[in-house]
Structure formats: C-alpha cells, structure tokens
Amino acid sequence: VSEGGGGGGGSGGGESPMSLLAREGEKELQAALQKVQADMESQGCSREEIGSQLASVRESHAAYMRQQRQMLQEREEVYKEAIAEGLTPEAAKARVQACAQWQQQMQRLQAKHQAAMQKTHHEAEAAGVSPAEIKRRLEAQRRLQQAEAEAWQQKMRARQQAASEAAEKGQSAAEVEKAVKAVTRAQDAAWAEREAALLAAEGVARREAAEAARQLADASLSPEIRRILLARVRIGGLSARPDLNGREGVAKMWVVEKSRFAVLVDGQGAKAAEQLLLKAANLTVLQPAGGGGGGSGAAAEEEAVAQVAFADRLLLNKTDL
C-alpha cells in the first residue's frame, strides 16, 4: 500500500487503497499456501497434516489482513482530519507518513511482546514451574504488555497534538521538533515509572506463589492451617474493622512470625481490594484449596493461583488485625 494510499486518492489507475490492499494480500496468501503445500509434500506429510497447516496459514493471514485494514483506515482518518484542519495535501500526506512510521513501530513492539511471551513460557517450563503458575505469569505479562501498548499509543497522540499546537502558533520546524521531543521525554518517563511498579508487583507475586507452594508441602504446619491455606474464606468477628465482616477473599499464605494468614480481600462495589493479616479464628472456609477437603499441594496451588488476579496484587495495603 502506497504512503499516499493512507491519505486521499488511490493509486494511479484509480484503484482504492483498500481494494489494492485486498488484491495484494490475496496474492501473498496464495503464494504462501503454495509454498507451504509444496514444502510439506516434499517432506512426505499426510493430507491431514497439510490441510491443518494450510488452515493455520489462512487464519494467521486473516488476522494480519484485519490489522492492515485497520492501519489503513487510521491513515485515511489522519489525512481527512489534516485536510479539515486546513493543511495542504502535501502537509496532510506528511502527517500520514508520520502515522505510518508509528504504525510500523507498533508492529515491532507487538513482535517484541510475542517473543517475550514465548521466552517467559519456556523459562518457566525449564524451571519446573507448575502449569497454574505459568498461566498466572503469562497473564501478568499480557497485562504489562497491554499497558505498554496503551502508553505507546498515548505517546503517539501526545506527540501529534504537540506538533499541531506548535504549528498553529506559527512556530518554526525546529521549535515544533523541540516541543515534540519534550512531550516524548515526559511520556517515556511516565511509562518507566509505571513499568517499574508493575514489575515490582510481579516480583512480589512470584515470591508469594513460591512461598505458598512451599507451605502446602510443609508437613510441620498444623492440619487447621493447611485447611485454610489458599482457600476462599469469609471474614467475621472483627472489632477493629467491622466493615470487613462478611467480605470474602483468599488466604494466600501463612505468615509464621505474625501467626496470621495473609488474606487478599475481594473488592466490593466502591470498596477496593486489600491485603490484610488475619487470625484463623476470623476466617470461615467457603471453598478449600483445590475445591476439596485439603487436596494435594499441586491442586491447591493451581486453585489459588486461578483465584488471585494479578491486578489485585498491585500496591495493596497490609494491616494487622
């Protein structure tokens, strides 16, 4: 798709950018299908194996084309907005080109994210991490990557706005560039701070998961402690915080030095989730870890990890009651 295709006006032959994208995409798909089929036939693969792989190629290509159509639509909108602001066609196309560059950078970011997900999965498997903890780590990584992508898009919008405002004031090209760089630095600093907080929270989550798994296998803990450990519980009998009575949560781990459970209390309406240290006497088991009457350590760990969301671990207050 030509750079001008993202703006106004199609190719020289009058074909619309979207039509050109579809035609070129179909050519790429057919070439890919032919190559995959030829390669697999030369390797002696069965018809079923070839058919499955061809279906996978079609699915991947369909997702790719959806992304390309969305990007083209975004560039067309950028061009229309630029013209509506009174920019010349040449200036509008320059803005479209800048948009295309940002889109390419976003694609590189997505490729980096995919590689990071694969690395996290492989490293966890190699370390012997449980399937439930692997699932939690991948979900945490998805949340981090989503936050990074949102920060990237916000930075792009902020840069475009800074450039537009500077141009409206009649500033020189050097002044416009200076304004854009200042906005970029501010956005990068904000993301760096947020990323550090998310990574710190994930570090805490991994240490807690490891400690909970260790405690489940610790025969020195009393049967009562192990019964409550990692179970869903209801809080009751608190005098210092009566507002928590009746709330539910997960007893994540036993804090030996405090002789209390670290309980992640569910959010409820306007009340945010919070983490507290509570006595066993103030907890009623609603659902034992693993959904049974004690269960195995692995099953209990898997149930608890599924219950405790990564988002609820961020910046939680810890209070002794």
Side-chain angles (χ1 to χ4, degrees), residues 127-173:
V129 175
S130 72
E133 172 60 8
I134 291 176
K135 181 180 178 180
R136 190 207 61 76
R137 290 188 184 187
L138 293 176
E139 179 60 27
Q141 183 122 5
R142 287 190 191 94
R143 292 178 182 275
L144 175 64
Q145 292 175 352
Q146 182 180 0
E148 183 178 15
E150 290 172 353
W152 187 273
Q153 291 169 347
Q154 183 177 350
K155 179 169 72 172
M156 180 179 71
R157 289 191 294 268
R159 284 170 56 100
Q160 290 175 342
Q161 183 177 354
S164 296
E165 292 176 352
E168 289 175 359
K169 296 176 182 178
Q171 296 180 346
S172 65

Short mmCIF file of all heavy atoms in Angstrom, two decimals, residues 127-173:
data_model
loop_
_atom_site.label_atom_id
_atom_site.label_comp_id
_atom_site.label_asym_id
_atom_site.label_seq_id
_atom_site.Cartn_x
_atom_site.Cartn_y
_atom_site.Cartn_z
N ALA A 127 12.24 -24.25 34.43
CA ALA A 127 12.46 -24.15 35.88
C ALA A 127 11.55 -25.08 36.66
O ALA A 127 11.61 -25.12 37.90
CB ALA A 127 12.26 -22.71 36.33
N GLY A 128 10.68 -25.82 35.97
CA GLY A 128 9.78 -26.74 36.66
C GLY A 128 8.62 -26.06 37.34
O GLY A 128 8.03 -26.62 38.29
N VAL A 129 8.24 -24.89 36.89
CA VAL A 129 7.11 -24.16 37.48
C VAL A 129 5.81 -24.86 37.14
O VAL A 129 5.66 -25.43 36.05
CB VAL A 129 7.09 -22.70 36.95
CG1 VAL A 129 5.86 -21.95 37.45
CG2 VAL A 129 8.36 -21.97 37.39
N SER A 130 4.85 -24.83 38.07
CA SER A 130 3.58 -25.52 37.86
C SER A 130 2.80 -24.89 36.71
O SER A 130 2.97 -23.70 36.41
CB SER A 130 2.73 -25.46 39.13
OG SER A 130 2.24 -24.14 39.33
N PRO A 131 1.93 -25.66 36.06
CA PRO A 131 1.11 -25.10 34.97
C PRO A 131 0.28 -23.91 35.42
O PRO A 131 0.11 -22.95 34.66
CB PRO A 131 0.22 -26.28 34.56
CG PRO A 131 1.01 -27.49 34.93
CD PRO A 131 1.74 -27.12 36.19
N ALA A 132 -0.24 -23.95 36.65
CA ALA A 132 -1.06 -22.84 37.13
C ALA A 132 -0.24 -21.57 37.28
O ALA A 132 -0.68 -20.47 36.94
CB ALA A 132 -1.69 -23.20 38.47
N GLU A 133 1.00 -21.70 37.78
CA GLU A 133 1.86 -20.52 37.94
C GLU A 133 2.32 -20.00 36.59
O GLU A 133 2.45 -18.79 36.39
CB GLU A 133 3.05 -20.86 38.83
CG GLU A 133 4.12 -19.77 38.92
CD GLU A 133 3.63 -18.45 39.50
OE1 GLU A 133 2.48 -18.38 39.99
OE2 GLU A 133 4.39 -17.47 39.45
N ILE A 134 2.55 -20.91 35.63
CA ILE A 134 2.89 -20.46 34.28
C ILE A 134 1.75 -19.63 33.71
O ILE A 134 1.97 -18.57 33.11
CB ILE A 134 3.18 -21.67 33.36
CG1 ILE A 134 4.49 -22.35 33.78
CG2 ILE A 134 3.28 -21.23 31.90
CD1 ILE A 134 4.81 -23.61 32.99
N LYS A 135 0.53 -20.11 33.90
CA LYS A 135 -0.64 -19.39 33.41
C LYS A 135 -0.73 -18.01 34.04
O LYS A 135 -1.01 -17.01 33.36
CB LYS A 135 -1.90 -20.20 33.72
CG LYS A 135 -3.19 -19.54 33.24
CD LYS A 135 -4.39 -20.42 33.59
CE LYS A 135 -5.69 -19.76 33.15
NZ LYS A 135 -6.86 -20.61 33.49
N ARG A 136 -0.47 -17.92 35.35
CA ARG A 136 -0.52 -16.63 36.03
C ARG A 136 0.56 -15.69 35.51
O ARG A 136 0.33 -14.50 35.30
CB ARG A 136 -0.36 -16.83 37.54
CG ARG A 136 -0.64 -15.57 38.35
CD ARG A 136 0.11 -15.57 39.67
NE ARG A 136 1.55 -15.62 39.48
CZ ARG A 136 2.28 -14.59 39.10
NH1 ARG A 136 1.72 -13.40 38.88
NH2 ARG A 136 3.59 -14.70 38.94
N ARG A 137 1.76 -16.23 35.29
CA ARG A 137 2.85 -15.39 34.80
C ARG A 137 2.56 -14.85 33.40
O ARG A 137 2.85 -13.69 33.10
CB ARG A 137 4.16 -16.20 34.78
CG ARG A 137 4.69 -16.53 36.15
CD ARG A 137 6.07 -17.16 36.07
NE ARG A 137 6.54 -17.55 37.39
CZ ARG A 137 7.76 -18.01 37.65
NH1 ARG A 137 8.64 -18.14 36.65
NH2 ARG A 137 8.12 -18.34 38.87
N LEU A 138 1.99 -15.70 32.55
CA LEU A 138 1.66 -15.25 31.20
C LEU A 138 0.57 -14.18 31.23
O LEU A 138 0.61 -13.21 30.46
CB LEU A 138 1.22 -16.43 30.34
CG LEU A 138 2.31 -17.46 30.02
CD1 LEU A 138 1.73 -18.62 29.24
CD2 LEU A 138 3.46 -16.81 29.25
N GLU A 139 -0.40 -14.33 32.13
CA GLU A 139 -1.45 -13.32 32.26
C GLU A 139 -0.86 -12.01 32.76
O GLU A 139 -1.23 -10.92 32.29
CB GLU A 139 -2.54 -13.81 33.22
CG GLU A 139 -3.67 -12.82 33.44
CD GLU A 139 -4.40 -12.45 32.16
OE1 GLU A 139 -4.42 -13.26 31.22
OE2 GLU A 139 -4.93 -11.32 32.11
N ALA A 140 0.07 -12.11 33.70
CA ALA A 140 0.74 -10.90 34.20
C ALA A 140 1.51 -10.22 33.07
O ALA A 140 1.51 -8.99 32.95
CB ALA A 140 1.69 -11.26 35.35
N GLN A 141 2.16 -11.03 32.24
CA GLN A 141 2.92 -10.46 31.13
C GLN A 141 1.98 -9.80 30.13
O GLN A 141 2.31 -8.74 29.57
CB GLN A 141 3.73 -11.56 30.44
CG GLN A 141 4.61 -11.06 29.31
CD GLN A 141 6.07 -11.39 29.56
OE1 GLN A 141 6.41 -12.07 30.51
NE2 GLN A 141 6.93 -10.90 28.71
N ARG A 142 0.83 -10.41 29.88
CA ARG A 142 -0.14 -9.80 28.96
C ARG A 142 -0.59 -8.43 29.48
O ARG A 142 -0.74 -7.49 28.71
CB ARG A 142 -1.36 -10.71 28.78
CG ARG A 142 -1.10 -11.95 27.95
CD ARG A 142 -2.39 -12.67 27.63
NE ARG A 142 -2.14 -13.98 27.07
CZ ARG A 142 -2.08 -15.10 27.77
NH1 ARG A 142 -2.29 -15.06 29.07
NH2 ARG A 142 -1.84 -16.26 27.19
N ARG A 143 -0.83 -8.35 30.77
CA ARG A 143 -1.26 -7.08 31.35
C ARG A 143 -0.16 -6.02 31.21
O ARG A 143 -0.45 -4.86 30.90
CB ARG A 143 -1.63 -7.27 32.81
CG ARG A 143 -2.89 -8.11 33.03
CD ARG A 143 -3.16 -8.29 34.51
NE ARG A 143 -4.32 -9.13 34.74
CZ ARG A 143 -5.57 -8.69 34.75
NH1 ARG A 143 -5.81 -7.41 34.57
NH2 ARG A 143 -6.57 -9.52 34.97
N LEU A 144 1.06 -6.42 31.44
CA LEU A 144 2.18 -5.50 31.30
C LEU A 144 2.30 -5.03 29.86
O LEU A 144 2.49 -3.83 29.59
CB LEU A 144 3.47 -6.18 31.75
CG LEU A 144 4.76 -5.37 31.55
CD1 LEU A 144 4.75 -4.11 32.42
CD2 LEU A 144 5.98 -6.23 31.89
N GLN A 145 2.17 -5.95 28.93
CA GLN A 145 2.30 -5.60 27.52
C GLN A 145 1.15 -4.72 27.06
O GLN A 145 1.34 -3.80 26.25
CB GLN A 145 2.38 -6.88 26.68
CG GLN A 145 3.67 -7.65 26.90
CD GLN A 145 3.70 -8.97 26.18
OE1 GLN A 145 2.69 -9.41 25.61
NE2 GLN A 145 4.84 -9.63 26.16
N GLN A 146 -0.05 -4.99 27.56
CA GLN A 146 -1.19 -4.14 27.22
C GLN A 146 -0.97 -2.72 27.73
O GLN A 146 -1.26 -1.74 27.03
CB GLN A 146 -2.47 -4.72 27.82
CG GLN A 146 -3.72 -3.91 27.47
CD GLN A 146 -4.98 -4.51 28.07
OE1 GLN A 146 -4.94 -5.53 28.75
NE2 GLN A 146 -6.11 -3.87 27.82
N ALA A 147 -0.45 -2.62 28.94
CA ALA A 147 -0.16 -1.30 29.50
C ALA A 147 0.89 -0.57 28.67
O ALA A 147 0.79 0.64 28.42
CB ALA A 147 0.31 -1.42 30.95
N GLU A 148 1.91 -1.30 28.21
CA GLU A 148 2.95 -0.68 27.40
C GLU A 148 2.40 -0.21 26.06
O GLU A 148 2.73 0.88 25.59
CB GLU A 148 4.10 -1.66 27.18
CG GLU A 148 5.27 -1.05 26.40
CD GLU A 148 6.43 -2.00 26.23
OE1 GLU A 148 6.25 -3.22 26.44
OE2 GLU A 148 7.54 -1.53 25.88
N ALA A 149 1.54 -1.03 25.44
CA ALA A 149 0.95 -0.64 24.16
C ALA A 149 0.07 0.60 24.32
O ALA A 149 0.10 1.51 23.48
CB ALA A 149 0.13 -1.79 23.59
N GLU A 150 -0.69 0.66 25.41
CA GLU A 150 -1.53 1.83 25.67
C GLU A 150 -0.67 3.07 25.90
O GLU A 150 -1.00 4.17 25.42
CB GLU A 150 -2.42 1.58 26.88
CG GLU A 150 -3.51 0.54 26.63
CD GLU A 150 -4.26 0.16 27.88
OE1 GLU A 150 -3.85 0.60 28.98
OE2 GLU A 150 -5.27 -0.58 27.78
N ALA A 151 0.43 2.91 26.61
CA ALA A 151 1.34 4.03 26.85
C ALA A 151 1.96 4.50 25.53
O ALA A 151 2.13 5.71 25.30
CB ALA A 151 2.43 3.64 27.84
N TRP A 152 2.27 3.56 24.67
CA TRP A 152 2.85 3.90 23.35
C TRP A 152 1.84 4.70 22.53
O TRP A 152 2.20 5.71 21.91
CB TRP A 152 3.22 2.61 22.64
CG TRP A 152 3.98 2.84 21.36
CD1 TRP A 152 3.46 3.05 20.12
CD2 TRP A 152 5.38 2.93 21.21
NE1 TRP A 152 4.45 3.24 19.19
CE2 TRP A 152 5.64 3.17 19.84
CE3 TRP A 152 6.45 2.81 22.09
CZ2 TRP A 152 6.94 3.30 19.34
CZ3 TRP A 152 7.74 2.93 21.59
CH2 TRP A 152 7.96 3.17 20.23
N GLN A 153 0.60 4.26 22.50
CA GLN A 153 -0.42 4.96 21.74
C GLN A 153 -0.68 6.35 22.33
O GLN A 153 -0.89 7.31 21.58
CB GLN A 153 -1.70 4.13 21.73
CG GLN A 153 -1.58 2.85 20.93
CD GLN A 153 -2.75 1.90 21.13
OE1 GLN A 153 -3.54 2.09 22.04
NE2 GLN A 153 -2.86 0.89 20.29
N GLN A 154 -0.67 6.44 23.63
CA GLN A 154 -0.87 7.74 24.27
C GLN A 154 0.27 8.69 23.91
O GLN A 154 0.05 9.88 23.67
CB GLN A 154 -0.94 7.56 25.79
CG GLN A 154 -1.21 8.86 26.54
CD GLN A 154 -1.35 8.64 28.03
OE1 GLN A 154 -1.44 7.51 28.50
NE2 GLN A 154 -1.37 9.71 28.79
N LYS A 155 1.47 8.15 23.86
CA LYS A 155 2.61 8.98 23.47
C LYS A 155 2.47 9.46 22.03
O LYS A 155 2.77 10.63 21.73
CB LYS A 155 3.91 8.19 23.65
CG LYS A 155 5.15 8.99 23.24
CD LYS A 155 6.43 8.29 23.66
CE LYS A 155 6.72 7.06 22.85
NZ LYS A 155 8.07 6.51 23.15
N MET A 156 2.00 8.60 21.15
CA MET A 156 1.82 8.99 19.76
C MET A 156 0.81 10.12 19.65
O MET A 156 1.04 11.11 18.94
CB MET A 156 1.36 7.79 18.93
CG MET A 156 1.16 8.11 17.45
SD MET A 156 0.64 6.68 16.47
CE MET A 156 -1.04 6.47 17.06
N ARG A 157 -0.31 9.99 20.38
CA ARG A 157 -1.32 11.04 20.33
C ARG A 157 -0.79 12.35 20.90
O ARG A 157 -1.07 13.44 20.37
CB ARG A 157 -2.57 10.59 21.09
CG ARG A 157 -3.35 9.48 20.39
CD ARG A 157 -4.71 9.27 21.04
NE ARG A 157 -4.57 8.76 22.40
CZ ARG A 157 -4.57 7.47 22.71
NH1 ARG A 157 -4.68 6.56 21.77
NH2 ARG A 157 -4.48 7.09 23.97
N ALA A 158 -0.03 12.24 21.98
CA ALA A 158 0.53 13.45 22.60
C ALA A 158 1.52 14.14 21.68
O ALA A 158 1.56 15.38 21.60
CB ALA A 158 1.20 13.09 23.93
N ARG A 159 2.31 13.36 20.97
CA ARG A 159 3.26 13.95 20.02
C ARG A 159 2.53 14.67 18.88
O ARG A 159 2.91 15.78 18.48
CB ARG A 159 4.17 12.85 19.46
CG ARG A 159 5.27 12.38 20.41
CD ARG A 159 5.96 11.15 19.87
NE ARG A 159 6.49 11.38 18.53
CZ ARG A 159 7.78 11.66 18.28
NH1 ARG A 159 8.63 11.74 19.28
NH2 ARG A 159 8.20 11.84 17.05
N GLN A 160 1.49 14.03 18.36
CA GLN A 160 0.74 14.64 17.27
C GLN A 160 0.07 15.93 17.73
O GLN A 160 0.06 16.93 17.01
CB GLN A 160 -0.31 13.66 16.75
CG GLN A 160 0.29 12.48 16.01
CD GLN A 160 -0.76 11.46 15.60
OE1 GLN A 160 -1.87 11.44 16.14
NE2 GLN A 160 -0.42 10.60 14.65
N GLN A 161 -0.46 15.90 18.94
CA GLN A 161 -1.11 17.10 19.47
C GLN A 161 -0.10 18.22 19.68
O GLN A 161 -0.38 19.39 19.36
CB GLN A 161 -1.79 16.78 20.80
CG GLN A 161 -2.55 17.97 21.39
CD GLN A 161 -3.29 17.60 22.66
OE1 GLN A 161 -3.33 16.45 23.06
NE2 GLN A 161 -3.87 18.60 23.31
N ALA A 162 1.08 17.88 20.20
CA ALA A 162 2.11 18.89 20.42
C ALA A 162 2.56 19.50 19.10
O ALA A 162 2.76 20.73 18.99
CB ALA A 162 3.31 18.27 21.14
N ALA A 163 2.70 18.66 18.08
CA ALA A 163 3.11 19.16 16.77
C ALA A 163 2.04 20.08 16.18
O ALA A 163 2.36 21.14 15.62
CB ALA A 163 3.39 18.00 15.83
N SER A 164 0.77 19.69 16.31
CA SER A 164 -0.32 20.50 15.77
C SER A 164 -0.40 21.86 16.48
O SER A 164 -0.55 22.90 15.84
CB SER A 164 -1.65 19.75 15.92
OG SER A 164 -1.65 18.57 15.16
N GLU A 165 -0.29 21.84 17.80
CA GLU A 165 -0.38 23.09 18.56
C GLU A 165 0.78 24.02 18.23
O GLU A 165 0.58 25.24 18.11
CB GLU A 165 -0.41 22.77 20.05
CG GLU A 165 -1.69 22.08 20.51
CD GLU A 165 -1.66 21.69 21.97
OE1 GLU A 165 -0.58 21.84 22.59
OE2 GLU A 165 -2.71 21.25 22.50
N ALA A 166 1.98 23.45 18.09
CA ALA A 166 3.13 24.28 17.76
C ALA A 166 3.00 24.88 16.37
O ALA A 166 3.33 26.04 16.13
CB ALA A 166 4.41 23.46 17.87
N ALA A 167 2.47 24.07 15.43
CA ALA A 167 2.29 24.56 14.06
C ALA A 167 1.24 25.67 14.01
O ALA A 167 1.39 26.65 13.27
CB ALA A 167 1.90 23.41 13.15
N GLU A 168 0.18 25.51 14.80
CA GLU A 168 -0.88 26.53 14.83
C GLU A 168 -0.36 27.87 15.36
O GLU A 168 -0.86 28.94 14.99
CB GLU A 168 -2.04 26.05 15.70
CG GLU A 168 -2.84 24.92 15.08
CD GLU A 168 -3.89 24.38 16.01
OE1 GLU A 168 -3.98 24.89 17.16
OE2 GLU A 168 -4.63 23.45 15.63
N LYS A 169 0.64 27.82 16.21
CA LYS A 169 1.23 29.04 16.75
C LYS A 169 2.24 29.68 15.80
O LYS A 169 2.82 30.72 16.10
CB LYS A 169 1.91 28.74 18.08
CG LYS A 169 0.96 28.29 19.18
CD LYS A 169 1.72 27.92 20.44
CE LYS A 169 0.78 27.41 21.53
NZ LYS A 169 1.54 26.99 22.75
N GLY A 170 2.43 29.03 14.64
CA GLY A 170 3.37 29.57 13.66
C GLY A 170 4.81 29.35 14.01
O GLY A 170 5.69 30.09 13.52
N GLN A 171 5.11 28.37 14.85
CA GLN A 171 6.49 28.13 15.26
C GLN A 171 7.28 27.48 14.12
O GLN A 171 6.72 26.84 13.23
CB GLN A 171 6.52 27.24 16.50
CG GLN A 171 5.89 27.89 17.73
CD GLN A 171 5.93 26.99 18.94
OE1 GLN A 171 6.19 25.80 18.82
NE2 GLN A 171 5.68 27.55 20.12
N SER A 172 8.58 27.64 14.19
CA SER A 172 9.45 27.08 13.16
C SER A 172 9.52 25.57 13.29
O SER A 172 9.10 24.99 14.29
CB SER A 172 10.86 27.66 13.30
OG SER A 172 11.44 27.25 14.52
N ALA A 173 10.08 24.92 12.26
CA ALA A 173 10.21 23.47 12.28
C ALA A 173 11.05 23.02 13.46
O ALA A 173 10.77 22.00 14.10
CB ALA A 173 10.81 22.98 10.96
#
